[in-house]
Amino acid sequence: MKGKHIVITGASAGIGEALVRELSNAGAKITLVARRADRLHALAAQLPGETNVLPKDLSDGDTSWLAEAEAALGPIDVLINNAGLQTIGRTQDMDLDKAEQLLRVNLHTPLRLIHAVLPQMTEHGGTIVNISSLAALAPPAGMLWYNASKAGLAAASESLQGELLHSKVHVLTVYPGVIGDTDMGHYGLDSYDDSWSVRIQPRATAAQLAAEIHRSMKNKRARLVYPKANNITRWLPAPTRWLMDRLTPPVR
Ligand SMILES: NC(=O)c1ccc[n+]([C@@H]2O[C@H](COP(=O)([O-])OP(=O)(O)OC[C@H]3O[C@@H](n4cnc5c(N)ncnc54)[C@H](OP(=O)(O)O)[C@@H]3O)[C@@H](O)[C@H]2O)c1
């Protein structure tokens, strides 16, 4: 990672913040992107390496800011599509404006960012990391738009990995399960009735996930399911669905 320029979206909190700390400590130069400028600047001030703060709302599909990132820290070696929104509730009650904003942040903008960085990366090499979700493999009830966005991102990411298998570009798809110490993690856990089936789910922290993502980047892995016990959902999709239909508690 030493000297590499890494762009991390959703860098102001949670998993993105943990990735910023992990990769900056490994010697990378980091462009931090999210809406909350104050949090980005406060985080950047704590980092050992070079940084560039770009406060952006990623719901408009604009990618022109990548040029600003390159002007500040040089060609982009790694793009991490991490920014994300989640809405949980009854499908018929969803606010469509919010739902479509979610699709743009979670799916549309990441695909546009991939499109924008690929010409340079296919020539000089690079890494694209897409933070999907376990919800792409095992979609829980009550997350219609989120599940669609994450399954879409995972499918796109897996197909890109195949397309670029023999190229200079490494593509990593990440399927986090319950990362309980982030805002989204709390929201997810608090949105369902308390139940033993939720309580026994494997959990990890954002820092643990960031360390595993770093390891998977170094080892050029195609995908990371974390906590690792969740790999069972990849190998046994039908029993997973059967269990989820019976054990998922009602949305509050
Ligand atoms: N936590 C979990 O259990 C879990 C599980 C599976 C997958 N994931 C995925 O992991 C990623 C990070 O989740 P997290 O748990 O770290 O969530 P989080 O703590 O809520 O952080 C979300 C990040 O996304 C940024 N973001 C949201 N909307 C944005 C927008 N319109 N423009 C720019 N940035 C925006 C937020 O920054 P600003 O608010 O400052 O813009 C924040 O930095 C997401 O893609 C999520 O779907 C999380």
Side-chain angles (χ1 to χ4, degrees):
M1 294 301 145
K2 210 160 179 53
K4 301 275 186 212
H5 178 189
I6 303 185
V7 172
I8 304 179
T9 69
S12 62
I15 295 166
E17 178 180 339
L19 281 166
V20 167
R21 292 186 193 281
E22 171 76 25
L23 297 170
S24 181
N25 284 331
K29 302 182 282 184
I30 314 275
T31 290
L32 300 88
V33 187
R35 289 167 302 182
R36 287 171 289 178
D38 51 341
R39 291 185 65 119
L40 295 178
H41 282 292
L43 175 58
Q46 299 167 29
L47 301 174
E50 270 187 272
T51 56
N52 171 40
V53 168
L54 285 181
K56 298 283 169 199
D57 184 339
L58 296 172
S59 62
D60 62 7
D62 175 39
T63 60
S64 60
W65 55 267
L66 287 170
E68 290 174 55
E70 293 202 326
L73 295 181
I76 295 165
D77 298 297
V78 181
L79 167 68
I80 304 186
N81 278 317
N82 165 75
L85 293 170
Q86 189 175 40
T87 55
I88 302 175
R90 292 200 317 167
T91 297
Q92 67 206 59
D93 298 335
M94 287 290 158
D95 175 327
L96 281 185
D97 288 339
K98 278 194 184 157
E100 282 168 10
Q101 184 195 14
L102 179 155
L103 268 191
R104 289 195 295 273
V105 174
N106 292 12
L107 180 59
H108 185 232
T109 299
L111 298 188
R112 287 181 62 101
L113 289 170
I114 290 168
H115 180 262
V117 298
L118 269 184
Q120 197 269 123
M121 279 196 187
T122 45
E123 198 170 330
H124 300 289
T127 302
I128 296 174
V129 180
N130 295 308
I131 311 293
S132 175
S133 169
L134 191 63
L137 301 171
M143 298 190 198
L144 183 100
W145 295 82
Y146 183 78
N147 292 338
S149 72
K150 291 296 173 180
L153 183 62
S157 186
E158 294 277 2
S159 78
L160 187 68
Q161 191 270 141
E163 182 185 328
L164 298 175
L165 202 53
H166 305 295
S167 79
K168 295 177 185 168
V169 186
H170 167 223
V171 180
L172 169 65
T173 311
V174 182
Y175 299 88
V178 178
I179 307 302
D181 63 343
T182 74
D183 291 345
M184 192 184 290
H186 289 303
Y187 172 61
L189 290 168
D190 293 347
S191 295
Y192 292 88
D193 281 353
D194 186 36
S195 142
W196 64 269
S197 59
V198 172
R199 271 180 262 129
I200 63 162
Q201 276 189 53
R203 290 173 199 202
T205 64
Q208 288 169 330
L209 175 62
E212 284 294 324
I213 292 172
H214 184 187
R215 193 166 307 137
S216 298
M217 289 164 71
K218 282 197 288 200
N219 295 334
K220 296 209 184 303
R221 302 288 301 271
R223 61 197 62 80
L224 170 66
V225 180
Y226 194 78
K228 289 185 179 170
N230 289 320
N231 267 304
I232 195 90
T233 60
R234 280 188 69 227
W235 304 119
L236 299 172
T240 297
R241 186 73 256 162
W242 188 89
L243 282 171
M244 288 181 77
D245 287 345
R246 278 149 191 83
L247 299 181
T248 305
V251 175
R252 282 191 210 272

